[in-house]
C-alpha cells in the first residue's frame, strides 16, 4: 500500500513538473534551451541616491522618416541603493525614431534635451522609493513620465515610445541593481519566471544586420553582401510626395534585387538572401504598399521579402494580414497592450528593442509574442556597443524566425557613429568572442552565455562619471 502511494505521488510530481517544463517550452524539439531556473526570492530594494549625465556622439547622417539624425545622446543614469550598491545604466536617445513630431518641432539638440529631461524626472521620482523588480518599477513610473513629457514637449499626443526611450537608462540601471542585490550572476537568472518561456532559446549564432538609409546606392548594399552580411535592413519611404516616394522605392527594389538577388546563404531555408524593408510609417495607403509588392512579384523578388516593417503611421489601422508577406510592428508596439492590438491587425512579427523600449517592456512583449506564436527579432536604435549586447542577450534567446536558422539582430552603430572604435573601448568585455561580426554573424558561444555578453560587468568609463 505504501509503495503504491509513493508510486502515485512520484507520478503526480512528475506530471506536475512535466507540465511546468512544457509551459516553459522545454520539451519543444527545436529548442536548445537552458535548464529551468528556480524562482528566486527577491529583495525589496530602496533607492537612496540618483544621478545622471549624458555624452553627445557625432553621427554620419542617418536618413529615415523623411529626415536625418546627425547627433546621438548617450544618457547615463546612476542608482544607489540603501545597502550602498551603485549601478550605472545606459540609454541611447532616438528622438526622430520615437516621435518624429517632436523632432520636427525642435532643433536636434532641443529634442534630445527634452528626452533627457524626462530621464532625469524619472530618477527624481524614484529617489527614496522601493521596488522588488524592474518590471514593476517601470509599470509604476511610465504613466507619470509620459504625462510630464506631454507637458514639456507641448505635444498632447506624445508617443509612449518617446517616454520608454527616455526610461531605458533608468531601467538599465535598475536591472543591474536588481541583479547585484539578489546575487544574480547571469542574464538568465535575472529574467523573472513569468517571462522565461519567451526568452528560452539558445542560438549559437545571431545574424548581424546592417541598416541602409534612404538614398543608399545599390553598390553599397552589394558591398555589404560581399562582406558576408546575409540579411540587410533597407530603409524605404523616400522623401517627397507619395507618388515620388513609391517610384523611388520601386526603383531601389529593382536595383537591389538585380545586385544581390542571386546571392546564396546557408542561413535561410530557401538558400537565398532575405530582404528586410523598413518603411518607418511613410506609406499613407495600403494601395501604395500593394504597388511595391506587385512590383516585387513582377521582378521575382517577392519570395525573398522576409519582412516589411511599419509600413503605415500608427493611427492607420489598416489590416495587413492579407498581403501574403510578413508585416512587422516596431515603434507602434510601444507596450504589450499595443503589441496585442497590432497582432489583431494582422501584424505577424514584432521588432523588439530592449535598447529603445526598455528591457522590462521587451520581456512582456516577447512573452506575449511567444504565447501568440508571433516571431520576434531585435531591431537597433543606432546604440553604443554595450547596449548592442543588451539587445544581443534578447536576440540570442528568441525562437527562430520562420525560414531562418539563427537569431536576428539589427546593429548599425558601426556604420553611423563617427567614433565607434572609441566607444568599443568603453565595453568591459570588448575582446569577447561575441562582440565582432564575422561573415555576417555574431558567435553567441558558451562564453557569451556564461558572461551574459558582458552587460553585468562594470564599464570604467561610464562608472567614472559618478566617482566624484
Amino acid at each position: 500500500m505504501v509503495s503504491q502511494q509513493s508510486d502515485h505521488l512520484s507520478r503526480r510530481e512528475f506530471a506536475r513538473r512535466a507540465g511546468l517544463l512544457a509551459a516553459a517550452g522545454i520539451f519543444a524539439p527545436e529548442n536548445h534551451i537552458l535548464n529551468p531556473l528556480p524562482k528566486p526570492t527577491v529583495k525589496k530594494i530602496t533607492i537612496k541616491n540618483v544621478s545622471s549625465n549624458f555624452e553627445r556622439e557625432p553621427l554620419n547622417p542617418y536618413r529615415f522618416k523623411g529626415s536625418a539624425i546627425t547627433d546621438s545622446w548617450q544618457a547615463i543614469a546612476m542608482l544607489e541603493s540603501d545597502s550602498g550598491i551603485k549601478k550605472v545604466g545606459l540609454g541611447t536617445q532616438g528622438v526622430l525614431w520615437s516621435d518624429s513630431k517632436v523632432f520636427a518641432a525642435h532643433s536636434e539638440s532641443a529634442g534630445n534635451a527634452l528626452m533627457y529631461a524626462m530621464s532625469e524626472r524619472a530618477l527624481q521620482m524614484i529617489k527614496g522609493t522601493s521596488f522588488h523588480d524592474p518590471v514593476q518599477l517601470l509599470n509604476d513610473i511610465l504613466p507619470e513620465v509620459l504625462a510630464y513629457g506631454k507637458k514639456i514637449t507641448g505635444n498632447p499626443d506624445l508617443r509612449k515610445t518617446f517616454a520608454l526611450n527616455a526610461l531605458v537608462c533608468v531601467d538599465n540601471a535598475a536591472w543591474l541593481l536588481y541583479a547585484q542585490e539578489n546575487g544574480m550572476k547571469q542574464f538568465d537568472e535575472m529574467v523573472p519566471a513569468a517571462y522565461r518561456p519567451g526568452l528560452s532559446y539558445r542560438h549559437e549564432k545571431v545574424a548581424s544586420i546592417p541598416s541602409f538609409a534612404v538614398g543608399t546606392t545599390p553598390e553599397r548594399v552589394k558591398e555589404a553582401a560581399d562582406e558576408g552580411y546575409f540579411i540587410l535592413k533597407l530603409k524605404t519611404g523616400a522623401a517627397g510626395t507619395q507618388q515620388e516616394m513609391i517610384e523611388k522605392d520601386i526603383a531601389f527594389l529593382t536595383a537591389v534585387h538585380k545586385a544581390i538577388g542571386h546571392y546564396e546563404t546557408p542561413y535561410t531555408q530557401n538558400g537565398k538572401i532575405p530582404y528586410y524593408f523598413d518603411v518607418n510609417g511613410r506609406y499613407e495607403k495600403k494601395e501604395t504598399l500593394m504597388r511595391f509588392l506587385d512590383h516585387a512579384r513582377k521582378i521575382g523578388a517577392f519570395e525573398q521579402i522576409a519582412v516589411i516593417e511599419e509600413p503605415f503611421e500608427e493611427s492607420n489601422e489598416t489590416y495587413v494580414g492579407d498581403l501574403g508577406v510578413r508585416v512587422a510592428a516596431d515603434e507602434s508596439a510601444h507596450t504589450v497592450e499595443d503589441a496585442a492590438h497590432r497582432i489583431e491587425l494582422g501584424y505577424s512579427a514584432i521588432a523588439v528593442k530592449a535598447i529603445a523600449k526598455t528591457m522590462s517592456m521587451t520581456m512582456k512583449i516577447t512573452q506575449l509574442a511567444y504565447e501568440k506564436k508571433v516571431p520576434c527579432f531585435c531591431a537597433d536604435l543606432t546604440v553604443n556597443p554595450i547596449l548592442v549586447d543588451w539587445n544581443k542577450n534578447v536576440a540570442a534567446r528568441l525562437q527562430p524566425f520562420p525560414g531562418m536558422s539563427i537569431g536576428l539582430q539589427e546593429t548599425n552603430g558601426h556604420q553611423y557613429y563617427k567614433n565607434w572604435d572609441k566607444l568599443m573601448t568603453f565595453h568591459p568585455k570588448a575582446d569577447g568572442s561575441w562582440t565582432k561580426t564575422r561573415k555576417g554573424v555574431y558567435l553567441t558561444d558558451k562564453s557569451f552565455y556564461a558572461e551574459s555578453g558582458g552587460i553585468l560587468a562594470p564599464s570604467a568609463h561610464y562608472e567614472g562619471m559618478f566617482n566624484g
Side-chain angles (χ1 to χ4, degrees), residues 160-161 164 310 314 327-352 357 361-370 372 374-376:
K160 282 176 273 188
T161 301
L164 286 164
E310 293 288 6
E314 183 182 346
V327 181
D330 176 16
E331 53 265 48
S332 66
H334 312 270
T335 64
V336 67
E337 293 82 10
D338 297 315
H341 182 56
R342 292 285 129 181
I343 292 169
E344 288 173 1
L345 292 175
Y347 287 77
S348 50
I350 298 176
V352 292
K357 298 181 216 172
M361 189 60 73
T362 296
M363 285 181 183
K364 292 165 78 171
I365 292 171
T366 54
Q367 182 59 28
L368 169 80
Y370 176 84
K372 299 281 187 182
V374 171
C376 295

Side-chain angles (χ1 to χ4, degrees), residues 159-434:
R159 303 176 82 243
K160 282 176 273 188
T161 301
F162 195 90
L164 286 164
N165 194 174
L167 286 166
V168 169
C169 59
V170 181
D171 184 73
N172 195 273
W175 279 106
L176 294 172
L177 191 60
Y178 169 78
Q180 187 157 336
E181 285 278 4
N182 289 291
M184 298 167 178
K185 307 290 187 189
Q186 293 181 328
F187 180 82
D188 293 312
E189 295 176 75
M190 288 164 52
V191 182
Y195 310 118
R196 282 183 191 159
L199 294 170
S200 59
Y201 206 87
R202 281 203 171 191
H203 288 285
E204 293 172 1
K205 293 177 181 176
V206 169
S208 174
I209 307 174
S211 180
F212 297 96
V214 171
T216 300
T217 64
E219 291 75 23
R220 178 67 195 96
V221 175
K222 184 178 182 298
E223 279 175 23
D226 288 336
E227 289 167 22
Y229 292 98
F230 84 94
I231 177 168
L232 313 169
K233 183 172 186 174
L234 306 168
K235 294 274 189 181
T236 51
T241 65
Q242 290 287 294
Q243 182 62 30
E244 290 166 342
M245 174 192 67
I246 192 61
E247 287 173 3
K248 289 176 190 172
D249 287 357
I250 283 173
F252 179 60
L253 168 62
T254 302
V256 165
H257 189 59
K258 186 177 179 183
I260 65 170
H262 57 289
Y263 280 38
E264 296 181 346
T265 174
Y267 299 122
T268 59
Q269 221 164 2
N270 62 14
K272 295 181 177 180
I273 278 200
Y275 301 142
Y276 164 14
F277 292 105
D278 183 6
V279 192
N280 279 121
R282 283 274 293 147
Y283 289 5
E284 291 175 4
K285 295 180 179 175
K286 189 174 184 176
E287 289 73 21
T288 310
L289 177 56
M290 289 168 73
R291 272 187 68 187
F292 185 84
L293 296 175
D294 286 344
H295 184 75
R297 286 189 186 91
K298 184 178 166 186
I299 65 172
F302 185 81
E303 297 303 321
Q304 287 173 246
I305 298 177
V307 67
I308 292 187
E309 185 180 302
E310 293 288 6
F312 310 121
E313 261 295 329
E314 183 182 346
S315 57
N316 183 339
E317 299 219 331
T318 300
Y319 182 76
V320 298
D322 54 2
L323 292 166
V325 71
R326 194 174 293 279
V327 181
D330 176 16
E331 53 265 48
S332 66
H334 312 270
T335 64
V336 67
E337 293 82 10
D338 297 315
H341 182 56
R342 292 285 129 181
I343 292 169
E344 288 173 1
L345 292 175
Y347 287 77
S348 50
I350 298 176
V352 292
K353 290 183 169 180
I355 43 70
K357 298 181 216 172
T358 73
M359 180 64 77
S360 294
M361 189 60 73
T362 296
M363 285 181 183
K364 292 165 78 171
I365 292 171
T366 54
Q367 182 59 28
L368 169 80
Y370 176 84
E371 290 166 7
K372 299 281 187 182
K373 296 183 168 52
V374 171
C376 295
F377 59 95
C378 281
D380 198 7
L381 190 70
T382 314
V383 297
N384 63 62
I386 294 173
L387 287 174
V388 167
D389 278 322
W390 277 84
N391 229 15
K392 201 177 296 164
N393 270 284
V394 175
R397 290 170 171 84
L398 294 171
Q399 295 294 310
F401 200 80
M404 300 187 208
S405 59
I406 63 176
L408 301 179
Q409 177 181 1
E410 176 203 356
T411 173
N412 60 56
H414 62 287
Q415 298 172 273
Y416 296 103
Y417 281 99
K418 290 185 176 179
N419 300 319
W420 181 255
D421 290 342
K422 179 193 77 174
L423 290 171
M424 276 298 297
T425 67
F426 302 160
H427 194 308
K429 300 286 182 180
D431 295 328
S433 56
W434 63 85

Side-chain angles (χ1 to χ4, degrees), residues 439-462:
K439 294 185 179 178
V441 300
Y442 291 114
L443 302 177
T444 46
D445 53 16
K446 286 181 181 177
S447 66
F448 168 78
Y449 290 101
E451 300 191 58
S452 303
I455 65 170
L456 301 183
S459 165
H461 172 78
Y462 295 113

